[in-house]
Amino acid sequence: SDFEGDLRGWVTQGNASIERSTAYASTGTASMAITASSNDAAHVDASRKVRVGTSPGEAGVAVLAGAPYVGAIAVMSPSESSPVRCELRFYGAGGSIVDTVPGAEHPETPGVWGRRLCTAVAPPGATHAALRVHVADADLGDVHYVDDAWLASGKAFPGSPPDAPTTTSVPPAPGTSAPTGTT
């Protein structure tokens, strides 16, 4: 997702608010601005962990148990150096969480776009997946920008995009045939 249109298919999942922004972009002219917030309708706690993801549960991307998947995000904060990672969250029947597989967590370099990758083999019982952004040590009001986000099936592990993705998933728009869900 390059966020040139809107944020359809993305939801807050803890201590966050999101909006489309044209202040910064790694590709194109827009990105998703994630602000650490105590007003997240999904979940608020004192952990200082900000979580945003693509549609969870059965509204997520259909996956095949035992198949490899890779996700990627570009992330940047103009002033913060919080540790950030991408995660693949797998869901089973009824939208239950089967597993969450984190990618490597690295601190941001203020003002510099960085790539975060996450890879996993879909576990037994997984029927759907979501790409998640996880920011640690965030203070209320901190802003982090995400752009060029994708989730694909493929063989490329780790560190590079898949050489021949069979399905590329930008968060599906509501009303499409791609499944979506919540966390």
Side-chain angles (χ1 to χ4, degrees), residues 79-120:
S79 58
E80 304 304 320
S81 58
S82 297
V84 178
R85 68 180 183 238
C86 79
E87 300 176 337
L88 295 178
R89 177 166 278 178
F90 294 97
Y91 300 89
S96 61
I97 297 170
V98 174
D99 197 8
T100 302
V101 181
E105 185 173 80
H106 299 285
E108 295 164 294
T109 300
V112 177
W113 285 96
R115 171 70 70 201
R116 302 297 187 275
L117 297 171
C118 43
T119 60

Side-chain angles (χ1 to χ4, degrees), residues 1-74:
S1 183
D2 59 11
F3 306 105
E4 295 305 304
D6 57 32
L7 301 182
R8 266 184 285 189
W10 286 87
V11 295
T12 62
Q13 297 181 346
N15 302 320
S17 67
I18 58 175
E19 67 180 343
R20 182 180 174 273
S21 173
T22 56
Y24 299 95
S26 71
T27 61
T29 60
S31 63
M32 175 174 55
I34 302 170
T35 303
S37 174
S38 61
N39 297 318
D40 189 336
H43 181 78
V44 174
D45 61 25
S47 70
R48 297 179 61 208
K49 295 176 183 172
V50 173
R51 294 156 324 267
V52 172
T54 58
S55 297
E58 293 180 328
V61 175
V63 298
L64 181 61
Y69 292 90
V70 61
I73 58 171

Side-chain angles (χ1 to χ4, degrees), residues 108-181:
E108 295 164 294
T109 300
V112 177
W113 285 96
R115 171 70 70 201
R116 302 297 187 275
L117 297 171
C118 43
T119 60
V121 171
T127 60
H128 294 83
L131 177 65
R132 290 177 27 119
V133 178
H134 182 279
V135 180
D137 301 333
D139 293 319
L140 290 178
D142 287 357
V143 180
H144 305 268
Y145 295 88
V146 171
D147 203 359
D148 192 21
W150 51 264
L151 168 60
S153 64
K155 299 177 197 171
F157 277 30
S160 63
D163 52 356
T166 55
T167 57
T168 300
S169 172
V170 173
T176 63
S177 60
T180 57

